[in-house]
């Protein structure tokens, strides 16, 4: 699938709204979106009628004009992310191939990144909702959080904060994920994969 060079990109950080969820493993998409917003010099604002917060700006080397990007954080809770994302996609006229979901991934070791286009939702409720709303052919930046220890339920694991040992490296991994998103937008999927799919 080719992306539309003139169209904006919609970068969606997946998470749950509210301070009680802010440092959960499930909210790593919000963490990456917040970092990207800071790099763009923007602040998240409510997006009209869409149940989301957005920042509009550009990514790319200074003086090049860069690529137009809309960063979004759905405010609908994870399992209802698709509606707000699809509303933003319609409003900003973003082709599906220019949508990127940044999300936590259980089947990848902590801190490891995997970039891909399309595919299944692997039980992730945010992806399930997005795919139901608009189809599966969008990009994903999968941030590994590993599997729950022992017999801990998946739902409990993803809604817990990162462990203290994990937090020591969290800023570095979030920063790297933000770099990967920028590389995907500016250089395309294959080049970004060759750099970040460690």
């Amino acid at each position: 699938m080719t992306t539309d060079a003139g169209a904006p990109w919609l970068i969606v950080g997946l998470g749950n709204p509210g301070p009680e969820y802010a440092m959960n493993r499930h909210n790593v998409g919000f963490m990456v979106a917040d970092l990207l917003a800071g790099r763009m010099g923007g602040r998240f604002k409510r997006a009209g009628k869409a149940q989301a917060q957005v920042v509009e700006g550009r990514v790319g080397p200074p003086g090049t004009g860069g690529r137009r990007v809309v960063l979004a954080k759905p405010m609908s809770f994870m399992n209802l992310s698709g509606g707000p994302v699809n509303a933003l996609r319609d409003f900003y006229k973003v082709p599906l191939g220019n949508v990127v979901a940044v999300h936590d991934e259980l089947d990848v070791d902590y801190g490891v990144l995997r970039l891909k286009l399309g595919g299944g939702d692997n039980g992730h409720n945010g992806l399930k909702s997005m795919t139901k709303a608009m189809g599966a052919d969008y990009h994903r930046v999968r941030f590994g959080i590993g599997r729950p220890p022992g017999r801990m339920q998946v739902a409990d694991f993803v809604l817990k904060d990162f462990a203290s040992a994990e937090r020591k490296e969290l800023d570095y991994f979030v920063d790297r994920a933000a770099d990967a998103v920028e590389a995907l937008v500016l250089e395309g999927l294959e080049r970004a994969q060759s750099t970040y799919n460690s």
Side-chain angles (χ1 to χ4, degrees), residues 54-134:
V54 298
V55 173
E56 296 179 58
R58 292 185 175 272
V59 298
T64 63
R67 291 276 170 85
R68 191 170 152 230
V69 162
V70 179
L71 287 174
K73 296 194 296 187
M75 293 285 116
S76 56
F77 286 98
M78 183 71 84
N79 60 343
L80 299 171
S81 301
V85 173
N86 211 26
L88 292 172
R89 196 168 78 85
D90 287 346
F91 181 78
Y92 289 103
K93 298 180 170 49
V94 178
L96 190 53
N98 281 27
V99 175
V100 182
V102 185
H103 64 93
D104 57 305
E105 177 60 59
L106 287 160
D107 285 338
V108 177
D109 289 340
Y110 174 60
V112 173
L113 298 175
R114 290 280 184 271
L115 282 67
K116 65 183 244 184
L117 174 64
D121 56 56
N122 206 17
H124 192 289
N125 288 331
L127 297 181
K128 200 175 290 184
S129 180
M130 282 180 63
T131 297
K132 186 176 176 188
M134 60 190 193

Side-chain angles (χ1 to χ4, degrees), residues 173-187:
F173 289 140
V174 168
D175 195 65
R176 194 163 183 272
D179 290 346
V181 171
E182 291 180 345
L184 173 58
V185 170
L186 294 169
E187 300 169 15

Side-chain angles (χ1 to χ4, degrees), residues 3 19 61 90 121 155 172 189 192:
T3 55
D90 287 346
D121 56 56
Y172 168 76
L189 178 62

